[in-house]
Amino acid sequence: MKTAALMGLTGQGIETAGEILSSILQSQGFSHRAWRDFSTIIRGGHTAFEIYISEQGEESPPPRIEAIDIAVVWDDEGAKRYISRVKDKGLLFGPSSTTLVPEENREESPKLGFNVWSLGIIAGYLGLPFSLIEDAISDRFGGESNQKLVHRGYLLGQSKAQGPIFQPSSLSNVTISGNDALSIGAIAGEVRHYFGYPITPASEILENLSKWLPPVGGKTYQVEDEIAAIHAAIGASFAGKRTFVASSGPGIALMTEGISYLGATEIPLVIIDNQRGGPSTGMPTKTEQSDLLHLRYAGHGEFARILLSPTNVLDCIVVIQEALNLADYYQCPVIIALDLDLALRRISIPWCSVEKAIRSVAVDRGPTLTQSAPLEGYVRYRSVDGAPPVRTIPGIKGGAYVASGDEHDVRGFMEPDYKEVRHTLHMRRLHKADQIQYNRSLSIVGDTEASVAIVGTGSMGELIENIVNLHPDKYVGILLRQLHPVPIEEISAALSNAETVIVAEYNATAQIRSIIESALVNQNIQSLLRFDGEHYTLEEFENALKTTKSTNNELIRG
């Protein structure tokens, strides 16, 4: 594996340089992963871009690791961050103003051209053809000064290169983030209308769909706030259109009234929460898995909901399609919990794998009549033999009904006999998703005979997979995809041989463990918790696992 890092100030185009490097690597068939880090303050601060490149042409992108081959930093703040991570201090580069960078690796670089110069250094060290870098800079920026900067940086990086670049994959790759994958899956699931409001880290979904929906006959709407977003989406769903909303913690809080309305009216909708550090504005650019209890219980009153969590980027394509089907069938909110790291991480994936994920789920609208002969005696909320009621959309003759947030009877009429409907309609509505037909509640990585089971989801998924691959005799991974209703039998069966169970999560209060505790009876359970906003490298995760003790119910904070 080859690794490179670039760190500078917000506004210097660090991510732009990273995107260009990633695009060139993709065009040459290199499997890679990009990791982005941003300052927690709204304006200013430092930003970093790290890239991990597979050397042997593997299909799967490499994990994020601690060791960095080459790092280019704008100032000594960046040098302090990477000087302990670079394998060779002679491969730390920076402008002439830096003091911690080796003198021979310093050159004059303008503040607004630093990203171009840095890109040249990294490309030269990796041995990428200069013509590709030259063309990319010309297309993106133009200008003779930028060409001189990138060429000067390329020569400096090339002077430190230790050999030719490694063998690329022969497969055709595409580089996508978790947010990209969700957007792709939504379009595959026949979403053609999207209502959104910008918020980190969910804004990419609004940006993606603004570009990707019009060519397939769809449209996005940037509304005034998250309250408007969810209620506009509810209206579209009532009209029979598939849609979803995406936000982060503060936005989900504003959407809570709308979630309750979905519970009362039994209108299907998918809601995505890209979790970040809280409470309040908290750490808007840092990862966390701390909204889970809110997502499990959000809303006033009691009603059914389903809570899912993808386990990697490719899984996002599949999970959102499944969520759209589940929402239509059970006629309730289906919430997808991501975390910032999974939402923003960018990895290269063979296009054949992406295409397979897109085609793996058939659209199923459940008991929804989008067209029919005229109906007679239609009763919207009547269930026959416990099956979900038949739902109509406006325009079906004889299928009109009132979708009231007030308590109502089976016809949708308000002011019912409360003593009657609370023991019939309300109980059906409350318990209709206690057991769901979903055959991917979890994934097992490795041998279930291993003595230690690591349980996690979201961005923990790939860490767990890599640790199991490194230590197949010791660890088995249980990647949770269904958090509510809790798949008790499936989890219990997966953990039946484990002597120790470690639940790894990015929060301070063991929320995943709290949610699935009914499936953890008679187990020696430990919690591995991290809540500083940073994402584990593979080495950090391995060391954190080693620090766990075998005392029952002890919480270990990594």
Side-chain angles (χ1 to χ4, degrees):
M1 183 194 303
K2 290 288 185 183
T3 58
L6 169 60
M7 184 172 180
L9 302 176
T10 299
Q12 283 188 302
I14 301 302
E15 189 170 357
T16 301
E19 287 176 359
I20 293 172
L21 179 60
S22 175
S23 177
I24 291 172
L25 289 169
Q26 177 186 311
S27 71
Q28 298 299 293
F30 292 111
S31 179
H32 64 281
R33 166 191 308 276
W35 182 82
R36 300 175 281 173
D37 185 45
F38 310 98
S39 169
T40 58
I41 59 179
I42 302 301
R43 294 180 180 179
H46 286 80
T47 183
F49 185 95
E50 298 176 8
I51 198 155
Y52 303 82
I53 312 161
S54 175
E55 295 192 52
Q56 302 301 326
E58 292 97 334
E59 293 184 25
S60 299
R64 180 173 180 247
I65 61 172
E66 192 69 19
I68 297 291
D69 289 308
I70 181 172
V72 189
V73 299
W74 167 251
D75 53 22
D76 284 338
E77 181 73 22
K80 288 176 185 176
R81 177 165 176 172
Y82 283 104
I83 200 166
S84 62
R85 292 183 61 190
V86 288
K87 299 175 186 176
D88 178 354
K89 303 300 186 294
L91 289 174
L92 181 64
F93 296 81
S96 54
S97 56
T98 54
T99 61
L100 298 178
V101 170
E103 190 172 354
E104 67 272 17
N105 291 349
R106 303 180 212 164
E107 283 188 355
E108 287 292 333
S109 174
K111 185 175 182 180
L112 294 183
F114 170 70
N115 62 336
V116 173
W117 177 70
S118 302
L119 176 60
I121 291 173
I122 294 172
Y125 172 77
L126 292 176
L128 293 171
F130 180 70
S131 59
L132 297 178
I133 310 298
E134 189 177 35
D135 290 346
I137 294 299
S138 177
D139 292 344
R140 191 66 177 259
F141 302 114
E144 186 179 349
S145 60
N146 284 320
Q147 291 294 348
K148 288 180 178 178
L149 273 173
V150 75
H151 186 253
R152 186 152 52 85
Y154 188 88
L155 293 176
L156 180 58
Q158 192 178 45
S159 69
K160 301 286 185 172
Q162 297 175 348
I165 197 164
F166 24 86
Q167 181 63 40
S169 167
S170 60
L171 296 172
S172 175
N173 286 347
V174 59
T175 303
I176 60 174
S177 68
N179 282 333
D180 296 339
L182 284 167
S183 304
I184 292 167
I187 293 171
E190 296 188 352
V191 168
R192 295 296 180 268
H193 300 273
Y194 179 76
F195 305 87
Y197 184 76
I199 185 171
T200 301
S203 298
E204 279 187 341
I205 295 173
L206 176 61
E207 295 167 5
N208 288 339
L209 294 179
S210 295
K211 295 179 290 187
W212 299 346
L213 277 180
V216 293
K219 191 173 182 181
T220 58
Y221 309 82
Q222 182 174 323
V223 294
E224 61 269 30
D225 55 34
E226 291 87 353
I227 299 172
I230 192 168
H231 286 92
I234 290 171
S237 183
F238 173 77
K241 303 298 183 183
R242 278 195 151 184
T243 186
F244 71 104
V245 290
S247 190
S248 189
I252 296 295
L254 292 173
M255 291 182 178
T256 302
E257 182 182 358
I259 294 174
S260 294
Y261 180 70
L262 291 168
T265 57
E266 302 186 64
I267 294 172
L269 189 67
V270 173
I271 299 135
I272 294 172
D273 180 11
N274 282 353
Q275 301 168 89
R276 66 192 203 187
S280 189
T281 311
M283 302 186 293
T285 60
K286 300 298 180 181
T287 200
E288 208 160 85
Q289 296 174 325
S290 55
D291 294 350
L292 297 173
L293 292 180
H294 178 72
L295 300 177
R296 168 63 185 88
Y297 297 105
H300 48 285
E302 302 166 312
F303 54 93
R305 94 267 317 276
I306 295 167
L307 178 57
L308 305 178
S309 179
T311 60
N312 57 49
V313 169
L314 196 61
D315 200 35
C316 290
I317 297 175
V318 182
V319 166
I320 191 168
Q321 294 182 78
E322 295 170 329
L324 289 163
N325 285 350
L326 289 168
D328 269 341
Y329 183 82
Y330 292 99
Q331 300 169 31
C332 70
V334 177
I335 304 171
I336 298 177
L338 265 72
D339 51 74
L340 180 142
D341 189 79
L342 177 54
L344 296 185
R345 70 165 55 144
R346 302 188 70 84
I347 65 173
S348 62
I349 307 175
W351 173 248
C352 57
S353 299
V354 173
E355 194 169 31
K356 182 179 178 181
I358 290 172
R359 299 180 185 279
S360 66
V361 183
V363 172
D364 184 354
R365 298 303 307 267
T368 302
L369 295 181
T370 55
Q371 56 184 0
S372 78
L375 301 175
E376 293 184 5
Y378 174 68
V379 180
R380 166 65 180 97
Y381 299 107
R382 176 182 291 158
S383 173
V384 178
D385 297 328
V390 173
R391 183 170 75 100
T392 59
I393 66 170
I396 290 181
K397 189 172 183 179
Y401 70 95
V402 178
S404 173
D406 285 14
E407 186 57 279
H408 47 262
D409 62 17
V410 290
R411 300 165 295 174
F413 293 173
M414 294 173 282
E415 299 186 12
D417 178 348
Y418 295 108
K419 291 182 180 179
E420 170 63 25
V421 298
R422 296 298 279 184
H423 288 284
T424 54
L425 186 147
H426 177 66
M427 293 304 287
R428 175 195 63 76
R429 188 174 58 203
L430 176 60
H431 294 293
K432 63 184 178 180
D434 284 354
Q435 301 290 330
I436 64 172
Q437 298 176 13
Y438 182 51
N439 61 2
R440 291 195 331 122
S441 59
L442 55 82
S443 292
I444 298 174
V445 181
D447 187 353
T448 54
E449 297 295 323
S451 60
V452 180
I454 314 171
V455 179
T457 190
S459 59
M460 283 288 184
E462 289 182 336
L463 284 166
I464 294 171
E465 286 192 57
N466 278 281
I467 285 294
V468 171
N469 290 336
L470 286 174
H471 306 285
D473 296 334
K474 181 176 182 180
Y475 295 117
V476 60
I478 311 300
L479 309 185
L480 297 179
R481 196 171 286 111
Q482 178 184 324
L483 297 179
H484 180 80
V486 179
I488 297 175
E489 292 184 7
E490 291 88 340
I491 295 176
S492 298
L495 299 177
S496 60
N497 296 318
E499 297 173 10
T500 302
V501 177
I502 302 173
V503 184
E505 44 191 314
Y506 286 119
N507 59 64
T509 56
Q511 294 190 27
I512 294 175
R513 176 173 164 177
S514 299
I515 290 173
I516 66 169
E517 62 182 351
S518 56
L520 302 177
V521 216
N522 300 322
Q523 295 280 359
N524 177 27
I525 311 298
Q526 300 164 19
S527 284
L528 177 58
L529 307 175
R530 183 168 187 170
F531 46 92
D532 60 358
E534 297 298 329
H535 176 65
Y536 282 116
T537 61
L538 187 59
E539 295 93 336
E540 287 177 328
F541 189 58
E542 184 172 15
N543 289 334
L545 289 170
K546 290 176 182 176
T547 66
T548 59
K549 302 175 183 178
S550 57
T551 306
N552 192 38
N553 294 328
E554 181 163 350
L555 302 185
I556 305 298
R557 288 170 172 80

